[in-house]
Amino acid sequence: MHPNQEFYRIQKLPPYVFAVINEMRAKARASQQDVIDLGMGNPDGATPKPIIDKLIEAAPNPRNHRYSLSKGIPKLREEMVKRYKRNYGVDLDPETEAIVTIGAKDALAHLLFAVIGPGDAVVSPNPAYPIHQYGVIMAEGHACMLPMPDPATFLNSLEHLYNTSTRKPKMILISFPHNPTTHCVDLPFFREVVALAARHGTMIVHDFAYADICFDGYKAPSILEVEGAKDIAVEIFSLSKSYNMAGWRVGFCLGNRKLIGALARIKSYLDYGVFQPIQIASIIALRECEEDTKKISAMYQRRRDTLVSGLTRAGWPVESPRGSMFVWAPIPEQYRALGSLDFAKLLMEKALVAVSPGIGFGPLGEGHVRFALVENDHRIRQATKSIQQFLAASPR
Ligand SMILES: Cc1ncc(COP(=O)(O)O)c(C=O)c1O
């Protein structure tokens, strides 16, 4: 192989845009500058104590040191199914309609790998969480991106696509509360998507990573609440945000048994399941930590309020989201021509605040930056003051 020749799959994966900002942040911190990092959506809170206690109890047991089950231990799948019944009134069979995954990312990437073949079209809104686009590209599918200024417009474009395209999408990949745009939907939206997909023989994957991060009394619906959804859809749930367990790597794929079966088959070749003490501790999360989830969500709501009011005071009005752990901010008019990457660099350099450039979420993310609510109230207030000074000092 020629040394300059790129590997077949790697050449389809551009370098991570966020790496540029991460590097700047690391350099600034190395020179003792206090950067407020609202870049990556990496939860900063502690995992609830009962979960950690259970991990400590289960870890010394040699029985838990062996290979576990790729699809997850039965008790964990049963506990997840009970939570779906409790929270959404959805009935699932823990044996055939639920599988444990190594986080939502594993579920997404391997499900796409399992069911998407060369040229299969997968429709998703753009901007989006990068694996929604690149998981399709890695599986050699065709990532069909539709703009989502709001969920209703996305639905209209989807309908238009069905009416005009000769290539019917094989899959619709959606996620609400949405990263990065923070759009949220109610059950009638899911009813329409399911009806449309069912009519055209399309599968649906709903990434529900922010299921529990909802504000002001809003409760995000599960797509599985829609009657008949299980015939064509799966939902991906994650413990990362709901229980501050991002590093533990536990998620689920739930719903349609054919899709679950395909994912189970692929995973049986690839992994031996999550470390068993982590699975045992996850049972405690799902069974006993509902109140912690509410507290985590309330904390993000307070941070959202601090950020939104601070930015408004700084002369940078943004929409206040109903869910997710982000604020999606249109770049102030006078800086828009710079593009999101250069604007994010400028914010880092002049205000010492790290944000994610919208372009990192796909071409339709340009014109925005994303703030992640992952520093405390005090630090967020400090960030908005610093942004206010930056905007006031450098009018363009
Ligand atoms: C939409 C979305 N899906 C999935 C994930 C990853 O979840 P997990 O930690 O379970 O892999 C994220 C993380 O930021 C996300 O924003």
Side-chain angles (χ1 to χ4, degrees):
M1 186 184 173
H2 192 276
N4 289 338
Q5 197 182 335
E6 202 38 286
F7 294 118
Y8 174 71
R9 231 167 236 101
I10 298 306
Q11 71 192 356
K12 299 179 184 187
L13 302 176
Y16 221 39
V17 174
F18 305 121
V20 179
I21 299 297
N22 290 345
E23 230 169 78
M24 280 183 81
R25 185 200 53 209
K27 266 196 196 142
R29 282 189 171 164
S31 60
Q32 312 303 320
Q33 287 180 301
D34 179 20
V35 175
I36 301 175
D37 188 2
L38 307 177
M40 187 183 176
N42 195 353
D44 59 318
T47 302
K49 189 168 179 300
I51 307 171
I52 295 170
D53 288 346
K54 195 66 183 180
L55 174 73
I56 291 168
E57 184 191 314
N61 186 342
R63 283 214 329 247
N64 292 331
H65 299 164
R66 312 185 71 192
Y67 292 128
S68 187
L69 289 173
S70 168
K71 63 191 245 184
I73 56 176
K75 280 214 165 63
L76 178 54
R77 281 182 276 119
E78 282 159 23
E79 206 57 49
M80 187 70 234
V81 162
K82 280 188 203 156
R83 190 183 192 268
Y84 258 73
K85 181 70 181 168
R86 228 174 28 240
N87 286 8
Y88 307 109
V90 170
D91 289 302
L92 292 161
D93 172 12
E95 205 37 53
T96 57
E97 295 175 335
I99 182 173
V100 180
T101 62
I102 308 170
K105 230 181 183 187
D106 165 46
L108 283 161
H110 289 134
L111 185 60
L112 290 164
F113 188 47
V115 306
I116 295 304
D120 286 341
V122 178
V123 179
S124 55
N126 195 271
Y129 185 55
I131 193 72
H132 290 189
Q133 188 185 339
Y134 287 102
V136 177
I137 290 169
M138 282 192 270
E140 306 205 11
H142 168 64
C144 178
M145 296 175 261
L146 294 184
M148 188 171 60
D150 56 81
T153 306
F154 169 74
L155 201 56
N156 286 340
S157 311
L158 187 59
E159 248 175 321
H160 182 71
L161 184 83
Y162 276 121
N163 294 335
T164 55
S165 172
T166 48
R167 194 199 236 174
K168 297 277 181 237
K170 182 146 186 182
M171 181 185 280
I172 298 168
L173 174 44
I174 47 181
S175 180
F176 297 100
H178 188 249
N179 173 17
T181 67
T182 75
H183 285 307
C184 293
V185 297
D186 296 299
L187 200 52
F189 173 87
F190 280 149
R191 284 204 190 98
E192 288 196 50
V193 178
V194 169
L196 198 56
R199 220 166 31 248
H200 294 279
T202 307
M203 302 176 277
I204 303 174
V205 176
H206 179 235
D207 177 353
F208 206 19
Y210 300 97
D212 297 299
I213 315 302
C214 300
F215 313 137
D216 310 322
Y218 168 68
K219 179 173 187 269
S222 156
I223 198 166
L224 300 177
E225 288 176 61
V226 177
E227 207 177 316
K230 263 201 299 189
D231 296 340
I232 54 166
V234 286
E235 187 154 82
I236 293 170
F237 179 78
S238 169
L239 270 62
S240 294
K241 312 290 157 52
S242 297
Y243 301 97
N244 277 342
M245 289 176 71
W248 297 56
R249 312 310 300 132
V250 188
F252 290 85
C253 185
L254 306 132
N256 180 266
R257 58 181 66 188
K258 188 162 181 210
L259 286 168
I260 304 279
L263 180 56
R265 177 80 66 89
I266 284 273
K267 281 176 62 64
S268 72
Y269 280 87
L270 293 175
D271 69 66
Y272 286 110
V274 175
F275 183 44
Q276 201 151 286
I278 290 180
Q279 293 193 56
I280 292 168
S282 298
I283 295 173
I284 299 304
L286 298 173
R287 190 188 286 158
E288 294 179 14
C289 297
E290 219 53 29
E291 279 310 307
D292 295 276
T293 296
K294 288 195 184 111
K295 281 185 200 153
I296 290 167
S297 182
M299 176 201 73
Y300 285 124
Q301 182 174 320
R302 280 194 303 277
R303 291 177 179 185
R304 172 205 66 172
D305 291 342
T306 305
L307 182 64
V308 170
S309 57
L311 287 178
T312 305
R313 266 196 306 279
W316 185 357
V318 293
E319 248 177 59
S320 184
R322 278 200 292 168
S324 84
M325 55 190 282
F326 308 109
V327 166
W328 182 238
I331 300 173
E333 188 66 44
Q334 67 271 32
Y335 293 97
R336 206 156 294 163
L338 277 182
S340 60
L341 182 57
D342 279 349
F343 180 67
K345 283 186 190 167
L346 200 64
L347 269 189
M348 168 78 88
E349 202 183 301
K350 306 284 188 204
L352 291 177
V353 176
V355 296
S356 294
I359 187 71
F361 303 96
L364 304 180
E366 193 43 285
H368 288 74
V369 292
R370 190 197 70 179
F371 290 85
L373 302 167
V374 292
E375 294 234 30
N376 67 33
D377 269 322
H378 171 71
R379 301 269 294 164
I380 290 177
R381 204 166 297 120
Q382 201 179 321
T384 59
K385 278 185 189 152
S386 167
I387 289 172
Q388 185 166 7
Q389 281 163 7
F390 155 66
L391 291 176
S394 51
R396 285 161 64 98

